């Protein structure tokens, strides 16, 4: 149990330390025209392995006029998915697409692609920590 908890902790710390520099964050303005070109946080250009095209936008408002819901239907590699704020689409292990903003007038939206190659290592470490803690609790104190 001691080994399980400490190995999990070591995995979480290692993934956080070595995984942070490997994280890629890119943004793209998505319109009806399919595109693969994105921009990194430093302004340099990049591409993804799939195309993104906007199919539909939906914005709902509260009675006072403030937006209550942003949704965008986006075609990702020949598959139409619905993105909304805080509900990303998982493209692959460690790669997610987030909706960041919507422009109804221009019929465009901004999406953010986040690649975290160490995400599975972090998850494995967290699961090991939880399992070790639960097993120690169930085992009880030594007498």
């Amino acid at each position: 149990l001691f080994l399980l908890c400490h190995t999990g902790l070591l995995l979480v710390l290692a993934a956080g330390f070595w995984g942070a520099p490997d994280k890629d964050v890119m943004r793209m303005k998505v319109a009806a025209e399919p595109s693969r070109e994105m921009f990194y946080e430093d302004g340099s250009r990049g591409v993804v392995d799939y195309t993104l095209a906007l199919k539909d936008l939906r914005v709902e408002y509260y009675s006072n006029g403030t937006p209550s819901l942003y949704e965008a239907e986006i075609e990702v590699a020949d598959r139409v998915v619905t993105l909304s704020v805080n509900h990303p689409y998982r493209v692959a292990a460690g790669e997610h697409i987030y909706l960041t903003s919507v422009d109804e007038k221009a019929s465009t939206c901004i999406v953010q692609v986040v690649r975290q190659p160490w995400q599975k290592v972090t998850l494995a470490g967290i699961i090991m920590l939880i399992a070790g803690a639960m097993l120690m609790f169930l085992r009880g104190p030594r007498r």
Side-chain angles (χ1 to χ4, degrees):
L1 299 179
F2 176 84
L3 192 60
L4 183 66
C5 282
H6 285 79
T7 304
L9 179 62
L10 183 63
L11 281 177
V12 170
L13 291 173
F17 182 73
W18 287 304
D22 291 340
K23 179 180 173 181
D24 283 333
V25 178
M26 299 177 285
R27 288 193 176 205
M28 172 186 194
K29 183 183 251 184
V30 181
E33 179 87 18
S35 180
R36 307 170 84 178
E37 186 178 43
M38 301 217 156
F39 294 93
Y40 288 96
E41 292 176 312
D42 64 0
S44 62
R45 294 176 188 248
V47 293
V48 289
D49 300 333
Y50 42 85
T51 59
L52 296 172
L54 183 64
K55 295 299 177 190
D56 191 29
L57 286 176
R58 195 173 108 213
V59 180
E60 293 179 2
Y61 296 92
Y62 291 115
S63 59
N64 64 1
T66 59
S68 64
L69 174 77
Y70 292 111
E71 277 190 347
E73 283 188 11
I74 297 177
E75 185 176 335
V76 180
D78 301 326
R79 182 176 184 188
V80 177
V81 298
T82 301
L83 292 178
S84 61
V85 176
N86 295 329
H87 294 90
Y89 171 69
R90 183 176 158 242
V91 178
E95 184 169 351
H96 293 82
I97 300 175
Y98 295 86
L99 179 66
T100 59
S101 67
V102 172
D103 186 356
E104 282 184 291
K105 294 176 186 173
S107 293
T108 61
C109 67
I110 306 290
V111 297
Q112 180 171 303
V113 175
V114 179
R115 291 181 180 156
Q116 296 173 309
W118 288 75
Q119 189 176 29
K120 285 188 174 183
V121 177
T122 304
L123 182 61
I126 290 170
I127 290 171
M128 290 172 75
L129 274 168
I130 291 171
M134 288 177 71
L135 289 172
M136 278 198 270
F137 179 74
L138 291 174
R139 186 174 170 196
R142 288 188 181 173
R143 293 186 179 196

